[in-house]
Amino acid sequence: MESSDAKAPDEEIVLESLEKICKSQEISGSQRLQDFLTYVVTETLEGRGGQIFGKTIAEDVYKRPPSSGADSSNLVRVDAGRLRRALEAYYNGDGATDRIRFVIDPGQYAVRFETRFQTPPERTGNRRTFLIGALVCLVLLVGGVLGYVLLQISGLQEARNPAPAKGLSSVQREVLLNRSPATLEAVDLATQARSLIFPASNPARLTATRGMFERAIELGPNYSGGHAGLAQIVGLQSFLVPAGDERDVLIGLGFRHAQKALDLSPASPWTHSALGWMEFVRGNIDAARSYSLHAVEIDPDDLDVLNFDSLIGIFSGDFDHVVKSANPANFPGRDLSRHVFTVAYAIAKFHLGEYQAAVEALNQAASLGGPSSSISFAYLIAAHHKSGNEAMAGKLLGDFVASRPNSRVEIVLRRLFAHSDDADTLFDALAEAGWQSSEQ
């Protein structure tokens, strides 16, 4: 019998088990897996399990500081998968009777301790045997009923908190339709709204999308996606208004909904992505990067998470990260239409001084269906100019002025960039091409 009670087992027992596992045939031949397991067990025992991220493992276990420039996130994820498989093999073999089990859930690095309670030795006697048999039958009956109930609850909970990038499975939809049709409608509405966030430079578009998320919350107040999506939209809207009471109200509203999403679904990548974006909006860059990277680690295939991760990277000046993580070539066969990270990749190339590559990447983003906006237009002009193609830059600038006479792109971008020098890099290039600053 096993229990995953929140109360951790005795530390001495945990360390004894850790030593035994490290000497087992499953991981004794890999020092890296031994170090990985020792680190996550120790951090969890010290109460820091919630602070274990891929980057902390890379720094503390693999001794790869951020300044090294190496992207260790994939290595950490691969080793985490190897360790989970090794633990499973161990507990199916030599560790089958261990008093505790170490469990590292997918998408997490903290260790969960499952305690095995030993059954007392059986005593002789017909009465004792009868009682034990009756008790076993009762446990099996109750367990079966509870198992069925938990299965139904689990299906409903998964349906209420699906992986938004993948949508609902047919089973989840059927469960919700029969148990909470309004929640199913909320999930569908929030998922549709999520696909409409970008391009985000149009106030009317943001207002309409915000309304969809607000309606999703009305229909399913306990569905985390509605709250996470509303937080992201409100955070984007906050950059369209100047500093002051109105912006402060928007930021407060967005952060409250991000926190609500965390309460409802603490392991959801969308939740962590929304928290990361709101921390960026609040000016907490380190916290923003931490939450956003954790969201990517939870589900690397969620391209909507990558959208906001790339925005945080661009506007915080982490261009190298965006080039590594947001390259469209990393996602062969995926539908990349509407995904803003395709544009962010091109913008990162521009800021790294690779101007012709930026032009090519912007054209590629357009061909893939990436969102077109005043921002991507402005970067295309600047990239052509810096590449020496002044004729094309001049033509595009004329088109921009004619089609967007009241553009506020400079005002918005200067609010978005955490470092004014990064904004200057773009607008100095545009000024050289003949751009008239809206700041003047």
Side-chain angles (χ1 to χ4, degrees):
M1 179 177 176
E2 298 178 1
S3 171
S4 56
D5 199 331
K7 182 179 179 181
D10 183 84
E11 181 175 337
E12 183 177 347
I13 298 176
V14 171
L15 296 178
E16 287 178 359
S17 183
L18 173 62
E19 182 180 5
K20 181 182 176 183
I21 295 172
C22 287
K23 292 179 179 179
S24 70
Q25 62 179 358
E26 283 76 17
I27 73 170
S28 61
S30 173
Q31 187 61 50
R32 197 161 68 195
L33 287 188
Q34 294 177 49
D35 293 343
F36 193 124
L37 180 60
T38 300
Y39 176 78
V40 295
V41 167
T42 303
E43 290 295 289
T44 302
L45 283 175
E46 294 293 331
R48 296 189 292 269
Q51 301 172 33
I52 306 176
F53 303 112
K55 66 174 184 177
T56 59
I57 294 173
E59 294 173 20
D60 296 341
V61 179
Y62 301 157
K63 308 303 180 185
R64 299 190 181 190
S67 58
S68 68
D71 185 3
S72 303
S73 57
N74 286 335
L75 176 61
V76 173
R77 284 194 291 271
V78 169
D79 281 353
R82 289 176 58 207
L83 182 56
R84 292 187 187 100
R85 291 190 293 274
L87 288 172
E88 182 178 2
Y90 170 76
Y91 290 122
N92 285 333
D94 293 342
T97 59
D98 283 9
R99 286 184 290 175
I100 62 169
R101 293 191 177 201
F102 297 164
V103 179
I104 304 175
D105 294 313
Q108 305 291 323
Y109 294 121
V111 179
R112 179 163 53 82
F113 302 112
E114 289 187 349
T115 305
R116 294 174 57 84
F117 297 106
Q118 302 297 324
T119 303
E122 182 177 353
R123 297 179 182 176
T124 59
N126 293 335
R127 176 178 172 81
R128 180 69 172 175
T129 302
F130 172 79
L131 289 175
I132 291 175
L135 180 60
V136 169
C137 291
L138 179 62
V139 169
L140 290 174
L141 177 62
V142 174
V145 174
L146 286 176
Y148 175 79
V149 172
L150 288 173
L151 180 62
Q152 297 302 312
I153 293 174
S154 175
L156 179 59
Q157 185 62 31
E158 285 185 7
R160 285 180 174 175
N161 297 279
K166 301 180 179 68
L168 292 173
S169 70
S170 58
V171 174
Q172 289 173 327
R173 296 188 68 84
E174 184 176 349
V175 170
L176 270 184
L177 180 62
N178 287 279
R179 288 182 174 272
S180 180
T183 301
L184 176 59
E185 186 179 351
V187 173
D188 285 345
L189 190 59
T191 303
Q192 293 166 13
R194 197 182 193 192
S195 70
L196 298 174
I197 293 175
F198 299 105
S201 57
N202 185 329
R205 183 187 190 92
L206 291 180
T207 299
T209 310
R210 175 177 172 174
M212 294 174 71
F213 282 120
E214 289 174 334
R215 177 56 179 160
I217 292 172
E218 292 176 1
L219 291 166
N222 292 323
Y223 170 55
S224 64
H227 297 279
L230 182 58
Q232 290 174 324
I233 284 291
V234 170
L236 287 165
Q237 286 182 316
S238 71
F239 289 105
L240 301 181
V241 298
D245 291 343
E246 182 180 357
R247 186 164 193 264
D248 291 343
V249 168
L250 287 171
I251 293 173
L253 175 64
F255 191 68
R256 286 196 299 275
H257 279 283
Q259 289 288 340
K260 180 64 174 178
L262 182 65
D263 292 339
L264 292 170
S265 188
S268 163
W270 195 355
T271 290
H272 286 265
S273 178
L275 279 165
W277 179 242
M278 284 311 306
E279 289 291 4
F280 174 80
V281 172
R282 283 152 49 100
N284 302 325
I285 304 301
D286 289 342
R289 296 299 303 136
S290 179
Y291 276 119
S292 187
L293 289 173
H294 197 198
V296 174
E297 289 176 348
I298 294 172
D299 190 353
D301 294 326
D302 189 335
L303 300 186
D304 292 291
V305 164
L306 185 56
N307 284 332
F308 278 92
D309 182 71
S310 69
L311 291 185
I312 293 171
I314 287 294
F315 295 121
S316 65
D318 194 354
F319 307 118
D320 287 321
H321 168 74
V322 176
V323 167
K324 292 176 182 177
S325 63
N327 188 344
N330 295 340
F331 308 96
R334 298 287 299 273
D335 179 8
L336 303 185
S337 59
R338 75 174 175 78
H339 286 294
V340 75
F341 73 81
T342 59
V343 177
Y345 173 76
I347 292 175
K349 285 288 189 181
F350 175 87
H351 282 279
L352 291 173
E354 301 177 37
Y355 304 119
Q356 186 56 43
V359 171
E360 294 169 0
L362 284 165
N363 286 325
Q364 181 190 35
S367 70
L368 293 171
S372 177
S373 68
S374 297
I375 293 174
S376 58
F377 203 161
Y379 270 99
L380 185 61
I381 297 168
H384 271 297
H385 174 75
K386 298 297 286 187
S387 297
N389 194 348
E390 296 182 6
M392 177 59 75
K395 175 185 179 302
L396 291 172
L397 180 59
D399 292 345
F400 187 101
V401 173
S403 61
R404 295 167 168 82
N406 300 313
S407 174
R408 301 173 65 239
V409 65
E410 182 171 1
I411 295 173
V412 172
L413 279 175
R414 288 193 179 279
R415 290 173 184 159
L416 279 163
F417 275 108
H419 309 293
S420 60
D421 289 349
D422 292 330
D424 291 340
T425 298
L426 169 64
F427 291 105
D428 287 350
L430 287 171
E432 293 170 3
W435 177 278
Q436 297 297 315
S437 173
S438 58
E439 297 275 285
Q440 297 177 351

